């Protein structure tokens, strides 16, 4: 069953996930983390950065793979996910840059970039913990509705809704790329532990479809139901359309502390 944890807000979610990651790193200093971009996971990265600043953790051996990247942005573009991951994750967490991989979205290499990224994940021994956000249209990474449940890293056309949602990071919607390269749903399913976060009412419908609806390509995040170890952290607003809320609450409240996420 997908474990659903209802938290007061993003800060608490970030703290819980950061604790799980620090526990993983304590056991395996060169653990492989799947990195999501977007605003949702920022509290995780801030909590990890604080742990590093206070000398409670050394993340220099951690390895990482980003979920996705825009296609066709010029090298060094501040909104490319390569730049975002460097700014929001690698620098504050003092990760080692050459241990962190982002799919290559440059036009010149796009034909082979997906297969190369897949090979790199396999060579690293797979992803231990995959952080995931959720698009308002239900997309997971940039797997838009309709994505194959078995898909691997490849190029995808973005929906208009996704382009509108992400227009806030660009001068206008016309500057938002039309395509992205993204880990596939099949890639994501291979990670050892999936940790999806969603906050706010705009995500409530897709949260309910992902956790309690049928598994289908129409709701890409529903693949979490096929995973043996999937955790979803939501605030009250994002949880508001879940039917089994009372059960999730008491399952979490009664969970022994030692089990963690
Ligand atoms: C983005 C990313 C996703 C992210 C999602 C939600 O476009 N490609 O990986 O999870 O959309 O973004 P946010 O966290 O800002 O709501």
């Amino acid at each position: 069953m997908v474990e659903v944890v209802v938290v007061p807000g993003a800060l608490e979610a970030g703290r819980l996930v950061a604790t799980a990651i620090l526990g993983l790193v304590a056991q395996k200093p060169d653990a492989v983390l799947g990195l999501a971009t977007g605003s949702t996971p920022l509290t995780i990265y801030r909590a990890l950065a604080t742990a590093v600043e206070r000398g409670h953790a050394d993340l220099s051996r951690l390895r990482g793979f980003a979920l996705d990247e825009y296609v066709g942005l010029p090298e060094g573009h501040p909104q490319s996910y390569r730049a975002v991951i460097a700014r929001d994750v690698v620098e504050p967490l003092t990760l080692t840059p050459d241990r962190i991989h982002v799919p290559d979205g440059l036009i010149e290499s796009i034909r082979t970039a997906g297969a190369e990224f897949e090979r790199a994940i396999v060579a690293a021994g797979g992803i231990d913990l995959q952080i995931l956000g959720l698009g308002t249209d239900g997309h997971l990474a940039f797997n838009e509705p309709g994505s194959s449940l078995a898909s691997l890293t490849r190029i995808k056309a973005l929906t208009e809704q996704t382009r509108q949602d992400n227009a806030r990071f660009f001068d206008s919607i016309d500057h938002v790329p039309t395509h992205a390269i993204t880990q596939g749903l099949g890639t994501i399913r291979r990670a050892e532990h999936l940790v999806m976060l969603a906050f706010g009412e705009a995500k409530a419908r897709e949260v309910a479809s992902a956790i309690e609806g049928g598994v289908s390509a129409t709701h890409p995040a529903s693949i979490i139901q096929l995973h043996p170890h999937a955790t979803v952290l939501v605030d009250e607003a994002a949880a508001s359309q879940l039917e089994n809320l009372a059960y999730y609450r008491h399952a979490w409240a009664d969970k022994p502390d030692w089990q963690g996420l």
Side-chain angles (χ1 to χ4, degrees):
M1 179 195 111
V2 174
E3 177 175 51
V4 181
V5 184
V6 185
V7 289
L11 218 56
E12 177 65 2
R15 199 186 60 76
L16 283 169
V17 179
T19 302
I21 292 169
L22 293 175
L24 173 68
V25 172
Q27 284 177 357
K28 182 181 176 186
D30 64 344
V32 183
L33 201 58
L35 302 164
T37 49
S39 40
T40 306
L42 288 176
T43 54
I44 305 173
Y45 302 139
R46 286 199 201 109
L48 289 173
T50 302
V52 170
E53 277 158 30
R54 292 183 179 163
H56 297 161
D58 171 12
L59 302 180
S60 59
R61 291 182 60 199
L62 194 69
R63 295 172 289 166
F65 287 88
L67 276 173
D68 44 17
E69 173 63 292
Y70 290 114
V71 169
L73 289 181
E75 216 163 345
H77 190 290
Q79 292 309 328
S80 70
Y81 283 176
R82 185 175 297 275
V84 171
I85 291 280
R87 208 162 52 227
D88 292 348
V89 188
V90 176
E91 286 163 26
L93 276 61
T94 61
L95 304 183
T96 305
D98 65 8
R99 290 180 158 249
I100 307 305
H101 305 261
V102 180
D104 182 356
L106 296 176
I107 295 291
E108 306 84 67
S109 32
I110 200 65
R111 288 163 66 102
T112 51
E116 261 171 39
F117 198 69
E118 289 290 328
R119 277 196 292 274
I121 295 175
V122 171
I127 291 169
D128 292 305
L129 187 152
Q130 176 65 61
I131 301 169
L132 296 163
L134 177 65
T136 58
D137 68 351
H139 73 234
L140 199 59
F142 271 133
N143 293 283
E144 298 287 20
S147 292
S148 154
L149 304 187
S151 50
L152 300 179
T153 307
R154 77 250 183 261
I155 189 168
K156 281 298 290 181
L158 301 179
T159 63
E160 272 313 291
Q161 190 174 331
T162 297
R163 294 186 67 239
Q164 270 163 22
D165 285 349
N166 289 2
R168 67 190 193 277
F169 298 113
F170 293 84
D171 291 339
S172 78
I173 189 163
D174 301 332
H175 292 86
V176 183
T178 54
H179 290 76
I181 175 168
T182 179
Q183 284 191 33
L185 297 174
T187 319
I188 292 168
R189 280 177 59 190
R190 289 179 187 159
E192 276 293 309
H193 184 191
L194 301 183
V195 179
M196 189 173 91
L197 300 91
F199 311 119
E201 211 185 332
K203 306 276 175 88
R205 194 169 54 98
E206 286 302 329
V207 164
S209 299
I211 298 168
E212 295 177 344
V215 175
S216 92
T218 307
H219 300 286
S222 62
I223 59 131
I224 58 172
Q225 294 178 43
L226 299 171
H227 198 281
H229 189 188
T231 311
V232 178
L233 296 102
V234 280
D235 62 5
E236 295 287 347
S240 59
Q241 294 190 30
L242 288 168
E243 281 183 16
N244 293 327
L245 207 45
Y247 177 71
Y248 307 137
R249 286 192 208 279
H250 96 73
W252 175 249
D254 293 346
K255 189 175 183 183
D257 279 349
W258 60 266
Q259 280 190 326
L261 282 184

